[in-house]
Amino acid sequence: MRETKTLEFKEEITNTFLKTVSAFANYETGRILFGVNDEGKEIGIINPVQACLDIENKINDSIEPSPEYSLQINKKTSVITLTVFEGLHKPYLYKSKAYRRNDSASIPVDRLELTRLILEGKNISFEELPADNQDLVFNELSKKLSNALNISELNKDTLKTLELYSDKDGFNKAGELLSDSNRFNGIDIVRFGENISIILDRENIENESVLKQYDDAINVYKKYYQYEQIKGSLRKTVSLIPEEAFREAIANAIVHRTWDINASIQISMYSDRIEVVSPGGLPNGIKEEEYRRGGLSVLRNRILGNVFLRLNMIERFGTGIRRINETYRNSEVKPVFKITENSIIVILPVLEQKYNLTDDEAKIFELLKNREMSSSAIAEYTGFGKNKVITILKNLVDKGYVSVSGQGRGIRYTRQ
């Protein structure tokens, strides 16, 4: 056996275990085994019955409010198992401090985490708190509601129905996020070149409705990962990364992120992938395997999520991961989901493309990856004659694989 986030060993009964009691009661049910050393060897407790009474007294006298727990004695080994259940009346304090587990250690929470515990104990989320600014305008929300639900007028009754406004407290923070102007961090988009030292483009989308942020992010995606391919009389939009997957990733990042920290949603764009980093790990109550299956959803921002649902910007709660995976069903490359304590990262790879190219065309096509070049430069790199290069470039342009810009000596070619 070894210690984990939900399991701790104690050779004897000292007050240090009370920090872990606080941590388990605040965050996740766990066990403390008394009579087990750091290596996981069972050595037992002398007079375990009296020891259980001592443990009860220490918890009842030192933890406020009183947590729910149980005690069991293994009669063969004299090991005592203390199970502490995650409680409803958070925060659970030991010496006026709340604790959490960091791997196999119990450490005090910071001010932000303490505030979250207090809100959770009151069954209130951050988005339900009153907005700092009560002078809010909702042109973007009004437009979306008109298009999706045919609501012609956004009045106070509609805002109450959407749970963005109450007569007692006015607008809440969810309303502030959806208003045309707000103070929250938004979405930071960076497009990289061949490595992270080469920044080709950067857009910081903030201080506007999260609905507008979503649309703006989609437009940047379309700029770099979609192109029109013309074959004969037909014009077709080709997506290097499935648009539906990107939409789901952005909507999930907005709806599920933590909004009480000064951090932006980070979108990193590369030639072979997009990475979306959402601030905040998994909400309490959902395990990593449940998240990856996409079969369970615990909404961190219920009000915001319900608005996105009504506007058809998300389909159903808990289906985002499955929908992203579905868009890659017929591709050998698959999306990747990484979970950390403070973030969720979604990596969307470029779909494998099968290009109908000759060997010479493929050589020039590969050369144009992530760069613009003149026909003269291409001829120099490939060793092809100038006329041959011009002929191949014309074929690549006609096939929709390469685009051309500029005039005269300023003509440049790049991959679509």
Side-chain angles (χ1 to χ4, degrees):
M1 292 192 298
R2 63 180 182 84
E3 291 184 317
T4 66
K5 198 170 185 177
T6 57
L7 178 64
E8 182 165 275
F9 303 146
K10 293 292 183 184
E11 285 192 42
E12 54 189 23
I13 301 168
T14 64
N15 287 343
T16 57
F17 84 91
L18 293 166
K19 297 177 182 179
T20 304
V21 172
S22 168
F24 288 158
N26 282 323
Y27 289 97
E28 187 174 9
T29 298
R31 295 178 299 141
I32 303 174
L33 304 186
F34 296 94
V36 177
N37 65 20
D38 291 342
E39 287 73 40
K41 182 179 178 181
E42 296 174 331
I43 57 178
I45 291 289
I46 298 174
N47 195 354
V49 174
Q50 179 59 47
C52 283
L53 293 175
D54 293 340
I55 292 169
E56 286 187 35
N57 289 333
K58 286 179 180 295
I59 293 174
N60 295 338
D61 292 343
S62 305
I63 305 295
E64 178 65 32
S66 296
E68 184 181 352
Y69 62 90
S70 67
L71 285 162
Q72 291 181 319
I73 300 172
N74 187 318
K75 293 182 179 180
K76 291 184 178 180
T77 62
S78 293
V79 169
I80 300 172
T81 299
L82 168 64
T83 302
V84 182
F85 301 95
E86 182 180 354
L88 298 176
H89 308 293
K90 303 172 183 179
Y92 292 87
L93 305 177
Y94 169 58
K95 290 187 175 179
S96 301
K97 290 183 179 180
Y99 288 81
R100 67 178 179 87
R101 294 290 279 176
N102 182 18
D103 292 329
S104 59
S106 299
I107 61 174
V109 303
D110 58 22
R111 176 183 287 184
L112 177 60
E113 282 293 330
L114 180 60
T115 300
R116 290 173 178 171
L117 286 172
I118 292 171
L119 291 177
E120 190 176 348
K122 295 179 179 180
N123 199 26
I124 298 173
S125 63
F126 176 78
E127 63 172 356
E128 295 177 84
L129 295 175
D132 295 330
N133 177 21
Q134 291 291 321
D135 186 20
L136 303 180
V137 178
F138 295 93
N139 291 323
E140 191 68 27
L141 176 60
S142 180
K143 181 175 66 177
K144 295 281 190 184
L145 288 170
S146 177
N147 293 335
L149 302 175
N150 200 28
I151 296 177
S152 58
E153 181 183 0
L154 181 60
N155 52 35
K156 284 289 176 63
D157 289 336
T158 304
L159 292 168
K160 288 180 182 178
T161 300
L162 295 175
E163 298 183 74
L164 307 178
Y165 180 87
S166 71
D167 291 330
K168 178 183 177 182
D169 298 317
F171 291 110
N172 56 28
K173 292 189 183 295
E176 193 172 3
L177 284 164
L178 289 160
S179 68
D180 293 347
S181 177
N182 62 65
R183 62 176 179 83
F184 295 96
N185 290 72
I187 303 175
D188 189 20
I189 304 177
V190 181
R191 179 173 173 248
F192 294 99
E194 295 181 358
N195 56 63
I196 60 174
S197 299
I198 302 174
I199 296 178
L200 302 178
D201 190 12
R202 183 163 198 164
E203 295 197 33
N204 197 297
I205 306 169
E206 62 181 359
N207 303 129
E208 63 182 22
S209 171
V210 291
L211 302 174
K212 183 69 164 51
Q213 292 177 26
Y214 172 86
D215 288 342
D216 289 347
I218 298 297
N219 289 333
V220 177
Y221 153 84
K222 289 181 176 180
K223 181 179 178 182
Y224 296 116
Y225 294 92
Q226 283 187 345
Y227 64 91
E228 288 192 340
Q229 188 177 76
I230 302 173
K231 290 188 177 181
S233 61
L234 299 177
R235 183 186 297 268
K236 178 184 177 182
T237 298
V238 178
S239 297
L240 300 177
I241 289 174
E243 181 177 338
E244 185 177 358
F246 185 76
R247 287 181 177 273
E248 288 287 345
I250 298 306
N252 279 323
I254 292 173
V255 168
H256 291 293
R257 66 155 290 176
T258 53
W259 285 102
D260 55 359
I261 58 174
N262 293 322
S264 299
I265 295 169
Q266 300 284 335
I267 301 178
S268 300
M269 294 182 165
Y270 303 90
S271 61
D272 62 342
R273 70 193 186 280
I274 294 177
E275 296 184 4
V276 180
V277 182
S278 175
L282 292 174
N284 287 340
I286 182 170
K287 304 293 186 182
E288 185 171 335
E289 57 271 20
E290 294 170 334
Y291 169 83
R292 293 183 185 280
R293 284 201 310 268
L296 179 68
S297 178
V298 176
L299 277 181
R300 177 178 277 123
N301 304 297
R302 178 188 57 81
I303 298 173
L304 205 57
N306 278 319
V307 171
F308 271 62
L309 183 65
R310 289 171 183 264
L311 296 176
N312 300 316
M313 296 170 72
I314 55 177
E315 188 177 77
R316 295 194 309 274
F317 297 144
T319 63
I321 302 305
R322 282 184 290 170
R323 286 165 64 83
I324 290 174
N325 284 325
E326 181 65 20
T327 63
Y328 283 86
R329 182 178 57 175
N330 298 320
S331 173
E332 290 187 12
V333 293
K334 303 295 182 183
V336 177
F337 306 95
K338 296 181 179 180
I339 314 298
T340 72
E341 186 176 355
N342 297 310
S343 66
I344 295 176
I345 304 167
V346 179
I347 303 175
L348 305 175
V350 167
L351 293 169
E352 288 186 328
Q353 294 179 288
K354 294 179 173 59
Y355 298 104
N356 183 22
L357 302 175
T358 67
D359 290 344
D360 290 341
E361 287 174 341
K363 188 172 183 178
I364 291 179
F365 185 71
E366 184 62 27
L367 184 63
L368 291 173
K369 186 176 182 179
N370 295 324
R371 70 178 83 185
E372 289 185 344
M373 298 182 71
S374 66
S375 57
S376 299
I378 293 171
E380 182 179 347
Y381 271 86
T382 60
F384 297 159
K386 184 70 177 291
N387 290 337
K388 181 179 179 178
V389 168
I390 294 295
T391 300
I392 292 174
L393 287 169
K394 183 179 184 304
N395 290 337
L396 290 172
V397 171
D398 290 342
K399 290 178 180 179
Y401 297 149
V402 168
S403 63
V404 58
S405 61
Q407 294 180 344
R409 293 185 177 181
I411 290 178
R412 295 291 183 271
Y413 298 88
T414 187
R415 280 170 60 162
Q416 288 276 25

